[in-house]
Amino acid sequence: MTAFSPRSGLQIDTNLAEFLEHEVLEPLGRDVVAFWDGFTKLLSGFAPRNAALLEKREDLQAKIDAWHKESAGKPHDAVAYKAFLQEIGYLVSEPGDFQIGTQNVDPEIATMAGPQLVVPVLNARFLLNAANARWGSLYDAFYGTDALDAPPARPGGYDKERGAAVIARGREFLDQTIPLASGSWADLTFHDIRAEGLAIADQDQYIGATHKGHVFVNNGLHIEVVFDRDHPVGKDDKAGIADIILESALTTIADCEDSVAAVDAADKLLAYSNWLGVIRGDLEANFKKEKSTQTRRLRGDKVYLTPKGERLRLPGRSLLFVRNVGHLMTNPAIRLADGSEVPEGIMDAVFTSAIGTLDVEGHARFGNSRHGSIYIVKPKMHGPDECAFTNDLFNAVEDLLGLARHTIKVGVMDEERRTSTNLGACIEAVKDRIVFINTGFLDRTGDEIHTSMQAGPMIRKAEMKSSIWLTAYEARNVGIGLKHGLTGKAQIGKGMWAAPGLMGQMLVEKIGHLKAGANTAWVPSPTAATLHALHYHQTNVFEIQKQLGEIPSVDELLQIPLAEGTNWSEDELREELDNNCQGLLGYVVRWIDAGVGCSKVPDVNDVGLMEDRATLRISSQHMANWLHHGVVSEDMIMDSLRRMAEKVDAQNAGDPSYEPLSGNDDGIAFKAAKDLIFKGVEQPSGYTEPLLHAWRIKKKWGTKNGG
């Protein structure tokens, strides 16, 4: 169990305290005693404010619940509903005209458009892969996925026919993005290059060269064409082209929140240690591959020679954000003077910023921000008051660490209904440090359901994607961001492509995010980042942003997705429950038993989807809503849970460490799954964290059967 050490009236996990002191504060030259005194004072001011904000959430929810109960049996009155939300302070007045004032923002965020990765910070190998995903092989991405419209590679080594199709597709890409002065890249020969040089139509696209490649730029993204006659591919290529390397994941979010299972001091220490490793530049991960041990490290920068003979350095790694947790949870790693646990979001703000200060003050091997900023994504904030709290908290953290004001930048996740309805005011609350807004269908829908839980049964989960409120939500996020000057200073983002095995479908659909005006969007893997980068070569997002129309009204956003008397058949009800229960069980069993917060989980149709807590929130809240309104019964849900437990067991049959769900109703993972559904109405904002954390601690710390 945890050993605690006293620090300025706090009780702190000994390993965590020593980590911060020796690995962070001492290299920074900070006075350790002064730091802990300052941290204690910070907590004394902000922990009560944090608690008050959570009480306000519950108070507003109780008033909304009461309003819907009083209106039961009557047609929904949208005008009266909006007036009520204004009366209770849920919906605030739109702020006046203002433009954000954020300064010292790196170009990957401010002036470039490209893919963004989100990676669990607890997994060092994945974290390094994501950080290194700034550059990716287009040949590899096409060869190994269904993104290429050609027969799949035959087993047994390199398939030359598949390779030829990849090369042909690569030439098409080059013709589209870097056209030659005459002819096609498909006709280019090695002799042409040696004899005449490489003549392209627009010489401004040519950036420079290495001894084996030429570097170009298109829509702000770099392309390296590798010429290498000694390479297995290049030796048989008539132009000697061995690969096409694309600048891919411009930014990466190292996630301490939804994609990890971090419930105690040991988990938080691993999170902070990995964040320190990628910031300091010395993180390594050893792993087995093809019977040998390999080591993953951060890549260095790319260096080229410009046409003027000058050396040009391009970043070799993704620009890193860190996502802290929201305001809800506490963590046993630190206890306050009264014995209560510290708000985890405050702890994250201090610890991750202290680590980021190593970069700001020049203690990093490679460097992250070239403009001296620390980038923190803050999720699950409800409305402008909570955004203002974060702004004040970051001010206090800057003062504690001796940082200039607004060194810490913030990304605001627009994933809660009270934030969506008041987005302009939320942006204004952090207007001098905001660098990011992003939508998220899953969490946003989970909050939509929970906020209007008492209004009636909701439409089916799949139908949410075509609902009026969701369309308005996505368009308002972009429109309000543009209205307040995020272009050129911040990212306007869109959510995750969840199916890493369906890259062909991603290439067809995900360009819609760019056409909607988003200058970044989430992808599930480095390979997906390279393929999604193709969209940013096809489309100039910043030009699209200039052409977008009016911002949808808040009235559209407030349309509740009620089923309004729909009578589903037994087969439809069973199908909906099975889909929800299978996804819920498949995720929960890994979270509770293995401590895995994000992974590729097969869905009910055996399609692997990247799942995190947001997925769990929407599924559990949807079933809780239908149960609450009598659409389904507890027996129907239990029947689905038991049948889907068998399916999840079969999907995990190849994992020797897996603990079966079926026939184990008293197992901790199965109990956790039931709680998420049957206690879903009473969970704060419909969040899954309180139950997941409680059951994971029981599993991890050895309490029998959840005790």
Side-chain angles (χ1 to χ4, degrees):
M1 300 297 289
T2 297
F4 289 96
S5 298
R7 296 289 193 280
S8 300
L10 303 174
Q11 291 295 318
I12 304 175
D13 173 81
T14 300
N15 292 330
L16 192 61
E18 292 179 351
F19 162 80
L20 191 68
E21 290 169 359
H22 299 310
E23 300 293 330
V24 182
L25 297 178
E26 289 179 8
L28 287 171
R30 299 302 195 269
D31 183 286
V32 170
V33 174
F35 171 83
W36 290 119
D37 286 345
F39 185 31
T40 301
K41 291 176 183 176
L42 185 152
L43 284 166
S44 68
F46 283 92
R49 282 184 63 184
N50 195 105
L53 289 170
L54 297 180
E55 289 176 8
K56 181 176 180 180
R57 289 185 191 178
E58 293 303 306
D59 178 63
L60 289 173
Q61 186 61 57
K63 289 175 179 175
I64 292 171
D65 287 345
W67 192 89
H68 285 307
K69 287 177 181 178
E70 292 171 5
S71 304
K74 305 174 186 175
H76 179 66
D77 187 335
V79 174
Y81 179 57
K82 181 180 178 182
F84 161 73
L85 294 179
Q86 292 169 329
E87 177 186 333
I88 64 173
Y90 181 97
L91 187 60
V92 304
S93 300
E94 282 287 321
D97 290 338
F98 73 91
Q99 299 288 290
I100 67 168
T102 316
Q103 302 292 322
N104 300 318
V105 183
D106 286 271
E108 291 91 337
I109 294 170
T111 58
M112 300 174 72
Q116 186 169 68
L117 282 167
V118 184
V119 62
V121 75
L122 295 184
N123 190 311
R125 180 183 174 187
F126 290 176
L127 180 57
L128 288 165
N129 287 346
N132 287 335
R134 177 65 175 256
W135 299 88
S137 165
L138 184 61
Y139 277 10
D140 287 350
F142 275 134
Y143 188 88
T145 71
D146 69 347
L148 186 69
D149 186 16
R154 293 185 290 254
Y158 180 68
D159 182 342
K160 288 190 174 182
E161 289 187 22
R162 175 77 175 180
V166 168
I167 291 168
R169 180 64 182 86
R171 296 297 205 273
E172 290 177 14
F173 167 74
L174 294 176
D175 281 339
Q176 293 162 359
T177 54
I178 318 163
L180 299 176
S182 63
S184 166
W185 282 85
D187 302 323
L188 197 67
T189 69
F190 195 67
H191 174 76
D192 294 332
I193 301 166
R194 295 294 298 272
E196 302 174 11
L198 191 58
I200 59 174
D202 182 357
Q203 282 298 321
D204 288 341
Q205 287 189 282
Y206 184 68
I207 299 299
T210 68
H211 69 293
K212 287 188 177 179
H214 291 279
V215 186
F216 308 89
V217 66
N218 180 60
N219 283 350
L221 292 177
H222 295 94
I223 304 164
E224 180 182 1
V225 182
V226 180
F227 294 86
D228 186 356
R229 281 295 193 188
D230 296 325
H231 190 277
V233 174
K235 69 182 179 64
D236 293 328
D237 187 273
K238 64 182 181 179
I241 296 177
D243 206 345
I244 301 169
I245 308 296
L246 300 188
E247 194 171 20
S248 300
L250 295 181
T251 53
T252 286
I253 298 172
D255 189 22
C256 299
E257 195 232 4
D258 261 3
S259 69
V260 301
V263 300
D264 59 16
D267 294 333
K268 297 302 291 187
L269 179 57
L270 177 58
Y272 298 147
S273 297
N274 284 347
W275 176 236
L276 173 66
V278 289
I279 287 298
R280 198 166 56 189
D282 57 5
L283 183 66
E284 294 185 357
N286 298 314
F287 58 96
K288 293 281 188 181
K289 186 174 183 180
E290 297 177 356
K291 299 181 180 180
S292 66
T293 299
Q294 299 191 18
T295 301
R296 183 80 76 238
R297 300 181 180 90
L298 289 173
R299 292 176 182 159
D301 291 341
K302 286 180 170 284
V303 180
Y304 305 96
L305 199 65
T306 71
K308 294 181 179 180
E310 300 169 343
R311 286 167 61 87
L312 170 71
R313 183 180 297 273
L314 295 175
R317 299 153 310 285
S318 218
L319 181 72
L320 298 175
F321 289 77
V322 61
R323 182 161 69 168
N324 291 181
V325 303
H327 299 324
L328 177 64
M329 298 302 294
T330 61
N331 193 282
I334 303 177
R335 296 188 184 278
L336 304 173
D338 62 2
S340 62
E341 296 178 359
V342 69
E344 189 176 356
I346 297 177
M347 179 170 69
D348 271 0
V350 172
F351 278 62
T352 60
S353 295
I355 292 166
T357 304
L358 290 166
D359 179 56
V360 172
E361 298 190 357
H363 298 278
R365 178 184 177 190
F366 298 112
N368 184 45
S369 170
R370 300 184 300 286
H371 289 264
S373 292
I374 298 168
Y375 298 106
I376 296 179
V377 175
K378 190 68 180 177
K380 295 181 170 60
M381 292 191 289
H382 292 241
D385 289 350
E386 297 194 11
C387 292
F389 171 83
T390 291
N391 190 65
D392 292 344
L393 173 62
F394 286 3
N395 282 344
V397 173
E398 288 165 347
D399 293 343
L400 175 65
L401 295 171
L403 296 171
R405 183 64 74 236
H406 303 137
T407 295
I408 305 173
K409 305 302 193 289
V410 69
V412 175
M413 294 295 302
D414 177 9
E415 55 190 351
E416 307 299 328
R417 193 170 182 262
R418 188 151 56 103
T419 294
S420 297
T421 53
N422 302 291
L423 183 58
C426 290
I427 293 173
E428 186 181 40
V430 289
K431 65 184 177 66
D432 291 321
R433 67 171 83 245
I434 190 165
V435 289
F436 166 106
I437 55 174
N438 200 320
T439 56
F441 165 74
L442 297 170
D443 259 316
R444 181 61 179 78
T445 305
D447 195 55
E448 183 74 23
I449 295 170
H450 188 84
T451 302
S452 303
M453 181 66 72
Q454 302 298 334
M458 299 290 163
I459 59 178
R460 294 183 67 175
K461 195 167 68 174
E463 294 173 9
M464 290 284 184
K465 292 184 178 180
S466 57
S467 58
I468 292 173
W469 76 264
L470 183 61
T471 302
Y473 160 64
E474 293 286 359
R476 279 173 57 84
N477 182 265
V478 175
I480 292 173
L482 295 176
K483 175 182 177 182
H484 296 300
L486 269 69
T487 293
K489 293 183 178 179
Q491 290 176 323
I492 300 175
K494 295 289 184 184
M496 180 66 76
W497 178 265
L502 301 179
M503 292 292 96
Q505 188 176 343
M506 185 193 78
L507 282 183
V508 172
E509 296 183 21
K510 201 166 177 65
I511 196 170
H513 284 165
L514 285 74
K515 293 179 178 178
N519 59 334
T520 193
W522 287 357
V523 285
S525 68
T527 296
T530 298
L531 292 169
H532 185 39
L534 298 175
H535 292 141
Y536 297 89
H537 286 288
Q538 290 176 251
T539 306
N540 188 320
V541 179
F542 298 110
E543 290 300 317
I544 285 179
Q545 289 178 345
K546 297 174 184 177
Q547 303 165 13
L548 294 178
E550 294 184 4
I551 302 171
S553 72
V554 73
D555 296 336
E556 294 176 65
L557 189 67
L558 291 173
Q559 292 202 29
I560 302 171
L562 297 172
E564 297 181 323
T566 303
N567 291 313
W568 293 284
S569 68
E570 288 187 13
D571 287 344
E572 288 173 321
L573 295 175
R574 188 180 302 109
E575 179 184 57
E576 189 72 15
L577 287 180
D578 286 356
N579 179 283
N580 281 328
C581 285
Q582 187 276 337
L584 183 147
L585 287 169
Y587 180 73
V588 168
V589 70
R590 297 186 185 192
W591 213 101
I592 298 297
D593 288 350
V596 175
C598 180
S599 61
K600 188 165 70 172
V601 178
D603 71 0
V604 73
N605 297 310
D606 299 314
V607 175
L609 300 177
M610 297 303 295
E611 305 278 11
D612 65 10
R613 281 202 302 262
T615 315
L616 192 63
R617 187 183 183 192
I618 183 177
S619 297
S620 58
Q621 284 298 291
H622 194 269
M623 285 188 282
N625 173 263
W626 274 18
L627 177 64
H628 183 70
H629 291 285
V631 176
V632 296
S633 67
E634 184 172 330
D635 286 345
M636 292 171 67
I637 292 174
M638 286 303 302
D639 173 68
S640 181
L641 281 172
R642 291 184 176 119
R643 286 186 295 102
M644 291 303 103
E646 294 179 0
K647 183 171 184 65
V648 171
D649 287 350
Q651 290 172 328
N652 288 276
D655 183 354
S657 64
Y658 177 79
E659 298 180 33
L661 289 162
S662 54
N664 192 20
D665 286 14
D666 289 330
I668 289 180
F670 197 85
K671 281 185 173 181
K674 288 194 299 181
D675 274 359
L676 287 162
I677 302 167
F678 298 128
K679 297 180 180 178
V681 173
E682 64 200 61
Q683 295 310 298
S685 305
Y687 289 129
T688 61
E689 288 94 315
L691 290 170
L692 284 177
H693 279 230
W695 284 108
R696 172 63 182 160
I697 285 174
K698 290 175 182 178
K699 177 72 177 183
K700 189 176 181 181
W701 291 0
T703 305
K704 188 180 270 186
N705 286 334

